[in-house]
Structure formats: C-alpha cells, structure tokens
C-alpha cells in the first residue's frame, strides 16, 4: 500500500496532464489550493507592505505641506491684491483674476478661467438731508466718508431700487419682526415713515424687506460703535482695530443667490434671461450711513423712550416718529457686466473623476484685505505648496480643484453660476467643498461644516500649531477656550458665502473656516492692508495656519483610501434638531415629530453599518481586489448628502433644495436647521400659514429625506 501510493504520486508528477481518478483529483486540488494560498499570501504580504510604505510616503507629503508655510509669500500676495479697490465687474477686479491665474500657472498648476455676463448694480447718485423743525435748519448727511480715492465707490446698497422720498423717521433697533411688534405695543406706527436701524442682528436685505412689509418708505442702516467701534473706549483705526464712527458699511440687499436674470441656469452669452427680476430686490430704497450721521438724526426723535436694550452706544431718547423730516434720494444702475472665475486643477491618479474643491472669492467692496483676499492669499499659498508637492512626486488619488470666485459680494454670483452650469457633474462626482472667505479677522479658529466632516476637521486641527500659542495645536486652543467642553462646530444653514450653492443647491458636503470671530472694518474703506498688518495678523502666522488646515483637509479627502466621513455624528445632530422641534411643538395641536424620529432610527442603523464597512475596508486598503468595493463605499458616503435635497426646494424659495440646512424666512428663531419646519411653525404663529397641517407636512418632507439618505448610505435598494 505504501509503495503503490508513492508510485501514484511519482506518476502524477511525471504525467500531470493524464486523466485523474477521484482519489488523484482530491490530491491535485489540495496541491493546487496550497499553491494558490501561497501566492495570495505572498502577494497579499507584498500589497500590505506596499500599502504601508505608500501610507508612510503620503503621510510624509502631508507633514511637509503643514510645515512648509511662508508668511512672507502670503503677505506679498495680500499686499498686491489689495493695492486697489476691486468691485465685481470692474477692470481692477479683472486684474485680480489675472494675478491669481498667473500665479496658479507659475506654481506649476494647470489653470484656466470661465467668464459670465451677469446683472450687477452700481450707484449713480445719492443724497440725504435732515430738516429739523425745532431749528428750521437742514442738515446734509455726509456720505463720502472723507476719503480721497476716486476709485472707491461711495457707500451704497447693491440692488437697492431708485427712489426719492421724504418722511418722518422711526428708530427700529435691529429691524427684526420682534422689534416692530415692540413698536406697535408702544403705539409707534412706521407706515409712511423712513426707518433707521443698526447693523448686527441679521442680513441687511432682510432688514429692508421687513421695513417695507410694515409700510416704511425707505431705510437707512448704520454701524453701532457698540459692536463695530469697541464702544468708543479704545480709540479708532489707525490707533486701534475699531472702525471710526464716520464710516459706513456697504453690501447687497438682494434676496436669493446668483444672477437674478438667470435663475437656476448659468449666465453664459447665449443664456435665456428673464425680464421680471424685481421680486429679488426690496421694494423700497435704502442706504448705509455712519454712526456719526445717525447720531444727528436719532437725537432729534421724540416719542416713546428708547428701551435700554435698544440703545447701543449712541445717545438719544425717543423712538420717533419725527418730528424731523428726512429727504432721501437714491439712483442705481443695473447693467450686464463681465465676471471671471479662475481655476487650477490637479488631476487625480486613481479617481480623476472625483473632485475635492477648495474655493474663495476675490471681489471686494473696497480693498478687501480681510474680506476676501486674506482667503485669496491663503489659496495662493496652498497652490504654491501643492505645486512643490507635485515636484516631489506626489499626486493625489482624487482630483483637487482650486477655485477663485467672482461677484460673491453681490449674492454669491460667480460660484452659483458655475455650480448651476456643472450641476450634473458635481452631483455625481464632487466629494466635498472647502470654503474660506475672510480667512483672518483676528485670533481664534472658527469653523462650520456639515456634521460628517466634524471628526476630520478635529483630526486636522490637531496637526496644526496654533499661531497664537506656540505650545498648543489649533484644536487644543479651541478646547481650552471652550473650558474643555466639546468644541463647537457651526452649521451652514445661512447664506453667508460661496458654500451655499454647493451645499444648499447641489448637496455637496461642505466646510467653512476662518480665524477671528468678526471684523470691525467689515465692508468698509478700512478693510485694507494697513489694518491687517497692524491688527488682523501682523506676522501673517494666522494666514499660514488657516492655509495649513484648509490644504490638509483637501489632502486627506483627496488621498485617503476611505473617505473620513462620520455619519454617526450626522445622526446625533439630526436627533438634537428633532428634540428642539419637539420642545417647540404644542402636543395638543395634534402635530407629531414621530416621522422624523422613525427616519432617524433608520439613519442610525445605516450609519452604524457604514462605520463597520469603513473599518473593514481600511484593513484591506492595500489589496487591489478591494479597489472597486472601496470606490463604491466612498460613493455611498459622498452621495448621502445629496439625498437631503428635495426637487421642490423650500416653500417660496425653490432654489434652496436642502431640507436640513438652508436659510430661514423668519428672524424670530435662531435655530439653524430644518428651515422648512421652522418657517411653517413661524407662519402658524403669525396666522400666515395653514396651521398645524403645514407644520406636519414639512415634518413629513424632512422625514422622507432622512429615510432616503439612510438608504443612500446603506447602498441598498428597498
């Protein structure tokens, strides 16, 4: 028996192709499986070692990026970009586009530009004069701010309609709905009056819109020294960072995003243009004025005594009406003007059709040292370092796109037109959008994000040194500042910058970040290079830090095998929003949030499954046969945000598609999520809506979107 078995094995070795018996087949299969397992183990080990080596190589590139910042280069860029005012649609603005494109190319990045012809608004003339019945004297309100640069546009509100009116003045505090209710309770009627309000609580366009709703015939807005002037206790620029009282804040008053003449489609040369655009603008004219000039008007008001919480820094006593008369004249010119977006594209080596997008706008109301060119200088610094990395042999796994937007100040026009033009590609291919607007306003790092990016943002800020504390990282400083409580990351429900089109219209996960909580010279002639080097960032170390965080976020999203998206964090946020809504609803009215609660349970299950799948794929990231599985999984993570979009959009604002994050119509609630539900609740309270039925319908809409997002995250059909 033993001898015969040996002979059989010898025969098999000598004649491998002969007909096999059942016994022989079993032996052959065992041998073959041993060989296959050996090969898999061998090449698996090779792939694993190769994967580890590649991870170390990528980590080395990322560390180099963080440590290779140049404050000198950033300062040089900012000085050049802010030599002249550069309002959108002007020749100076086009010069900044050329500057950015030239440096993209100089840094070794393929660059191109895309032009649009868009409707913009410019001032033609304006005047304000105040007639005091007590003295019979007429005071002409100064609007030129005592500057001599003829290329700076005099203060105006873009998109304010032309008009000439006269009327008594009423002070309306910040100009919110609750302020008008207080006035009504005090017996002050604003119908037919010109209202005066202070900046600080809400978007200026909303202030003017509410004023018109209550019957005002015009509005003037001023910057209260309490918020913008340090209460007048620390001096003013150039002796301190605070805005002088003779300066006023410019800005847009348009409602909505993008070119008003091409709603939901791009403003190309051959585009259809609508003629009826007035609904996007306030129905009454408005102007910004300085605190110094506002003081003259406010001191003349009689009527009920001003509530203590309404006073601010100015000295006055009455709310109005009058008795003085304000004569108001403004003329605007709306015209088609060219704008230019500039791009640099770094092609991905494995997934070139997946895009990590970084964006910042260039246009400014004046010089724009803070808003927005601190961000532009940081973007150019990132371009410089990306170019150097390419020279060292790095190439991202996914494509990276650097974007320099135009006409943001007029209503996010440049970014919106591009998103509308590329919506089909972005919907399928955009991984995330990383926005920086005012990169540096002062000390302290602040960020807003969609929740699945929270953890990645924390990881990245743990790798970047705090520019204001040499012994701490940015994350450590934020934690210290919050007394050890979990660092707060804001949500992107408002309409403040270029992330709006990406998140709220296209459903792309987004981040917005900056140093310094606010800028006292916001939208004024003192937003200049001199202010930055004196007070904003004298050594440009904050610029270096924000470019490191911004760029490292992009590198992680472009280079990681498995996208670092944490949807368990998103589930927690959704639950917290549901709890807030539940607390605000009166149970007796028959409204229930159970549909949302049930949908969130589905989302939690999907998020847990996704977390498990991510860990499995990370363990096998070096194995070639996991590439397609990994790509499919990453697509699940990427596309989940899109599922929160509703084709009908928010009620009355169909362009805003996202039902979790979007702008609210009401000014009475600071709650930043479920905007459709919040507005329906406000309508119900004010009797404008359909009662509880409208609220319940909006709850069902949100619930359906959360359920669809859970299915997208799970990657399975029903």
């Amino acid at each position: 028996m033993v001898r015969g078995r040996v002979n059989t094995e010898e025969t098999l070795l000598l004649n491998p192709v002969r007909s096999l018996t059942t016994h022989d087949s079993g032996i052959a299969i065992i041998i073959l499986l041993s060989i296959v397992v050996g090969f898999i183990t061998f090449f698996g080990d090779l792939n694993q070692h190769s994967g580890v080596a590649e991870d170390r190589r990528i980590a080395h590139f990322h560390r180099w990026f963080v440590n290779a910042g140049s404050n000198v280069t950033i300062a040089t860029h900012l000085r050049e970009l802010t030599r002249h005012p550069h309002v959108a649609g002007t020749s100076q603005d086009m010069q900044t586009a050329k500057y950015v494109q030239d440096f993209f190319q100089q840094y070794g990045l393929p660059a191109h530009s895309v032009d649009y012809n868009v409707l913009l608004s410019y001032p033609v003339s304006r005047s304000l004069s105040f007639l005091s019945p007590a003295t019979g004297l007429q005071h002409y309100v100064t609007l030129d701010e005592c500057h001599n640069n003829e290329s700076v546009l005099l203060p105006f509100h873009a998109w304010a309609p032309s008009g000439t009116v006269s009327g008594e003045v009423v002070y309306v505090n910040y100009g919110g709905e609750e302020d008008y209710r207080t006035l009504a309770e005090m017996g002050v009627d604003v119908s037919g009056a010109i209202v005066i309000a202070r900046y600080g609580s809400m978007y200026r366009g909303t202030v003017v819109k509410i004023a018109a709703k209550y019957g005002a015939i015009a509005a003037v807005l001023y910057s209260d020294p309490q918020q913008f002037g340090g209460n007048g206790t620390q001096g003013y620029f150039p002796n301190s960072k605070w805005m002088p009282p003779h300066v006023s804040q410019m800005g847009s008053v348009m409602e909505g995003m993008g070119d008003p003449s091409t709603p939901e489609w791009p403003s190309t040369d051959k585009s259809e243009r609508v003629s009826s655009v007035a609904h996007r603008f306030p129905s009454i004219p408005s102007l910004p004025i300085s605190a110094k000039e506002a003081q003259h008007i406010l001191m003349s008001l009689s009527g009920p005594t001003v509530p203590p919480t309404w006073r601010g820094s100015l000295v006055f006593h009455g709310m109005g009406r009058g008795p003085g008369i304000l004569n108001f004249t403004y003329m605007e010119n709306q015209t088609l003007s060219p704008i230019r977006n500039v791009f640099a594209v770094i092609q991905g080596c494995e997934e070139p059709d997946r895009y990590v997008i970084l964006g910042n706008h260039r246009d400014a109301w004046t010089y724009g040292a803070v808003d927005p060119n601190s961000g532009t200088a940081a973007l150019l610094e990132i371009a410089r370092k990306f170019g150097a990395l390419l020279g060292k042999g790095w190439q991202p796994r996914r494509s990276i796109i650097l974007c320099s937007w135009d006409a943001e100040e007029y209503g996010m026009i440049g970014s919106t037109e591009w998103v509308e033009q590329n919506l089909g590609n972005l919907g399928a291919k955009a991984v995330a959008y990383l926005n920086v607007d005012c990169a540096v306003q002062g000390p302290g790092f602040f960020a807003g994000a969609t929740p699945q990016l929270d953890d990645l943002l924390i990881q990245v800020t743990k790798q970047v040194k705090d520019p204001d504390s040499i012994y701490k990282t940015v994350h450590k400083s934020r934690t210290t500042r919050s007394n050890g409580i979990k660092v707060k990351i804001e949500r992107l429900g408002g309409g403040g910058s270029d992330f709006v089109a990406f998140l709220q219209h296209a459903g792309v996960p987004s981040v917005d970040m900056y140093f310094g909580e606010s800028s006292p010279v916001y939208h004024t002639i003192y937003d200049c290079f001199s202010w930055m080097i004196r007070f904003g960032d004298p050594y440009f170390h904050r610029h270096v830090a924000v470019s490191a965080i911004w760029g490292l976020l992009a590198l992680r999203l472009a280079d990681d095998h498995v996208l670092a998206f944490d949807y368990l964090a998103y589930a927690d946020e959704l639950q917290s929003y549901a709890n807030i809504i539940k607390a605000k609803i009166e149970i007796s009215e028959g409204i229930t949030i159970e549909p949302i609660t049930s949908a969130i349970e589905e989302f939690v299950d999907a998020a847990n499954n996704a977390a498990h799948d991510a860990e499995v794929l990370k363990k096998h990231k070096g194995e070639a046969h996991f590439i397609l599985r990994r790509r499919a999984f990453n697509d699940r993570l990427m596309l989940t945000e899109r599922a929160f979009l509703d084709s009908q959009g928010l009620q009355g604002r169909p362009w805003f598609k996202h039902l979790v994050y979007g702008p609210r119509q009401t000014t009475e609630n600071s709650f930043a999520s479920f905007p459709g539900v919040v507005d329906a609740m406000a309508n119900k309270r004010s009797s404008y809506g359909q009662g509880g039925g409208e609220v319940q319908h909006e709850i069902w809409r949100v619930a359906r979107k959360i359920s669809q997002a859970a299915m997208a995250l799970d990657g399975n059909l029903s």
Side-chain angles (χ1 to χ4, degrees):
M1 292 290 292
V2 174
R3 181 62 183 167
R5 185 169 143 195
V6 172
N7 286 341
T8 302
E9 291 173 353
E10 289 174 348
T11 305
L12 280 171
L13 292 172
L14 293 171
N15 302 286
V17 295
R18 72 174 176 85
S19 178
L20 298 175
T21 66
T22 302
H23 176 72
D24 294 337
S25 297
I27 295 172
I29 289 170
I30 292 171
I31 294 171
L32 181 61
L33 286 174
S34 298
I35 293 171
V36 170
V37 169
F39 272 109
I40 290 174
T41 303
F42 174 72
F43 285 108
D45 288 342
L46 280 182
N47 283 330
Q48 186 174 7
H49 289 307
S50 175
V52 170
E54 178 64 13
D55 285 349
R56 288 175 178 169
R57 182 169 174 269
I58 293 298
H60 170 73
F61 287 139
H62 291 189
R63 284 194 299 272
W64 182 91
F65 178 89
V66 170
N67 295 323
S70 169
N71 57 341
V72 174
T73 304
I74 295 174
T76 301
H77 284 314
L78 188 62
R79 184 178 64 245
E80 294 303 315
L81 287 162
T82 58
R83 285 190 182 278
H84 306 284
H86 44 284
V87 176
T90 64
S91 59
Q92 294 96 330
D93 185 46
M94 282 296 179
Q95 289 171 13
T96 65
K98 183 179 184 304
Y99 182 91
V100 169
Q101 186 166 348
D102 285 349
F103 271 96
F104 279 166
Q105 293 170 338
Q106 183 174 318
Y107 291 144
L109 307 183
H112 69 281
S113 62
V114 177
D115 290 0
Y116 300 100
N117 283 314
V118 301
L119 191 66
L120 297 181
S121 166
Y122 301 98
V124 176
S125 63
R126 84 219 69 192
S127 69
L128 282 176
S129 62
F130 187 74
L131 178 62
S132 173
T135 63
L137 299 176
Q138 190 163 8
H139 171 74
Y140 287 91
V141 177
T142 301
L143 298 172
D144 63 6
E145 299 190 346
C146 304
H147 64 74
N148 300 316
N149 190 330
E150 294 181 359
S151 62
V152 176
L153 291 179
L154 294 178
F156 76 111
H157 284 160
W159 309 112
S162 300
T164 298
V165 295
S166 296
E168 296 172 320
V169 178
V170 175
Y171 175 60
V172 296
N173 194 27
Y174 290 116
E177 295 273 2
E178 61 279 12
D179 295 322
Y180 284 91
R181 281 200 296 272
T182 300
L183 287 166
E185 292 169 359
M186 299 174 74
V188 179
D189 179 19
V190 300
S191 180
I194 296 175
V195 300
I196 181 169
R198 52 178 175 157
Y199 281 116
S201 178
M202 68 198 77
Y203 172 55
R204 69 188 70 78
T206 303
V207 175
V208 181
K209 181 180 179 180
I210 294 174
K213 172 183 171 181
Y214 284 89
I217 57 175
V220 291
L221 280 73
Y222 71 93
S223 299
D224 193 323
Q226 184 180 68
Q227 181 172 353
F228 298 93
N231 250 337
T233 61
Q234 301 171 41
Y236 302 109
F237 182 82
N239 299 315
S240 79
K241 70 176 184 178
W242 298 107
M243 183 176 77
H246 67 269
V247 177
S248 55
Q249 178 194 128
M250 291 190 257
S252 169
V253 292
M254 182 177 73
E255 186 173 344
M257 305 294 150
D259 183 351
S261 71
T262 59
E264 301 220 30
W265 62 86
S267 298
T268 61
D269 289 337
K270 298 180 181 180
S271 289
E272 174 192 7
R273 295 188 184 273
V274 298
S275 56
S276 178
V277 296
H279 66 283
R280 295 282 298 275
F281 315 133
S283 59
I284 61 173
S286 64
L287 275 173
I289 64 171
S290 68
K292 180 180 178 181
E293 294 298 335
Q295 178 78 77
H296 290 297
I297 298 171
L298 292 169
M299 284 181 64
S300 71
L301 299 183
S302 60
T305 302
V306 179
T309 56
W310 285 33
R311 287 191 178 279
S313 291
L314 302 186
V315 179
F316 61 104
H317 305 287
M319 312 279 289
R321 306 174 49 131
I325 299 296
L326 188 63
N327 299 306
F328 182 113
T329 298
Y330 177 69
M331 182 178 291
E332 72 152 347
N333 175 37
Q334 292 185 9
T335 183
L336 287 177
S337 301
I339 65 169
R340 177 167 296 167
N341 294 334
V342 180
F343 305 91
V345 181
I346 305 172
Q347 198 83 352
C349 60
E350 290 184 14
E351 297 182 80
D353 60 338
R354 294 294 180 265
Y355 310 135
V356 177
I357 305 169
L358 296 79
N360 158 264
H361 76 95
R362 294 183 325 276
D363 65 296
W365 290 120
T366 60
Y367 301 99
V370 172
D371 181 11
N373 298 127
S374 59
T376 311
L379 187 69
L380 288 171
E381 171 70 351
I382 290 172
R384 180 187 70 82
K385 293 194 286 185
F386 280 173
L389 281 177
L390 289 170
K392 295 176 181 293
W394 164 81
Q395 190 174 6
R397 178 170 283 109
R398 304 174 189 93
S399 294
I400 296 176
I401 305 175
L402 308 183
C403 311
S404 177
W405 308 118
D406 205 350
E408 185 270 357
E409 297 292 5
Y410 278 87
M412 278 54 76
I413 291 179
S415 57
T416 297
E417 300 311 304
W418 188 78
V419 167
E420 290 174 346
Q421 187 172 26
N422 294 279
L423 195 58
N425 275 322
L426 293 173
K429 302 173 181 179
V431 174
Y433 175 67
L434 311 177
N435 188 69
V436 167
D437 192 328
C438 305
V440 178
Q441 304 176 122
F445 181 73
F446 297 84
T450 45
Q452 74 274 56
L453 292 169
D454 285 1
D455 187 59
L456 177 60
L457 190 56
I458 290 170
Q459 291 176 38
V460 166
T461 54
K462 287 180 177 179
Q463 294 180 252
V464 177
K465 292 179 180 179
D466 185 341
D468 298 300
S469 180
I470 193 170
Y471 300 109
K472 294 179 181 177
T473 64
V474 170
H475 175 73
K476 183 66 174 178
S477 288
R478 295 191 78 207
T479 305
T480 302
R481 204 166 65 236
S482 61
N483 296 319
I485 301 171
K486 183 179 179 181
V487 176
K488 184 178 181 182
I489 296 174
E490 300 292 338
R491 300 302 166 213
L492 304 177
S497 194
D498 289 302
F499 60 79
V500 173
F502 286 91
L503 174 60
Q504 299 171 13
H505 189 70
V508 178
S510 299
V511 174
D512 184 54
M513 68 199 89
Y514 50 96
F515 269 87
E517 190 167 11
S518 62
S519 167
V521 293
Y522 177 70
H523 286 190
T524 72
I525 58 170
Y526 292 116
D527 183 6
C528 58
F529 187 74
S530 178
W531 186 90
M532 182 62 75
I533 61 175
R534 289 170 181 260
F535 306 109
D537 193 12
Y539 301 104
F540 285 82
H541 292 162
R542 294 166 189 157
H543 283 79
V544 171
V546 77
S547 66
I549 296 169
W550 194 8
L552 186 55
L553 278 171
L555 289 172
R556 287 288 308 276
L557 290 167
D559 287 337
D560 283 6
H561 288 269
V562 177
L563 292 173
F565 284 11
D566 177 13
Y567 277 101
L568 286 169
Y570 216 128
D572 288 343
E573 284 288 294
L574 292 173
Q575 187 59 61
S576 70
Y577 305 155
N579 293 340
I580 293 171
I581 292 294
K582 183 177 182 179
K584 294 178 179 294
I585 290 176
E586 296 179 21
I587 299 175
S588 61
E589 296 174 345
I591 301 171
T592 175
I593 66 160
E594 195 280 331
I596 291 179
T597 302
S598 179
I600 290 172
E601 291 175 359
E602 299 172 26
F603 194 88
V604 169
D605 289 341
N608 277 311
N609 292 339
H612 173 266
D613 293 348
E615 291 305 313
V616 171
L617 289 168
K618 287 175 184 176
K619 291 178 182 178
H620 298 279
K621 60 186 175 183
E623 300 177 31
H625 60 286
F626 273 85
I627 289 177
L628 289 179
R629 285 182 58 183
R630 191 166 59 238
R631 179 176 167 94
F633 176 71
N634 284 335
D635 282 354
R636 286 161 51 191
L637 298 178
M638 185 179 75
L639 296 174
T640 296
E641 192 74 54
R642 317 284 200 271
F644 292 117
L645 303 180
D646 186 284
S647 60
Q648 295 181 350
L650 298 176
Q651 294 296 326
R653 294 160 293 159
W655 185 89
F656 296 95
K657 309 293 186 187
H658 207 291
L659 296 194
V660 178
Y661 298 114
R664 308 177 315 276
Q665 287 184 314
T666 176
T667 63
E668 301 176 51
N669 197 318
S670 60
F671 186 47
S673 307
F674 297 166
V677 177
V678 172
D679 284 342
M681 292 169 64
N683 290 341
K684 177 179 173 298
R685 286 194 301 272
S686 62
S687 75
Y688 292 128
Q690 301 171 12
E694 182 185 359
V695 177
Q696 191 66 68
H697 173 63
E698 290 297 331
I699 287 172
W700 274 111
R701 290 182 74 202
V702 170
R704 287 192 287 271
K705 290 293 117 183
I706 295 173
S707 290
Q708 290 171 13
M711 293 179 67
L713 184 56
D714 239 0
N716 296 317
L717 299 174
S718 61

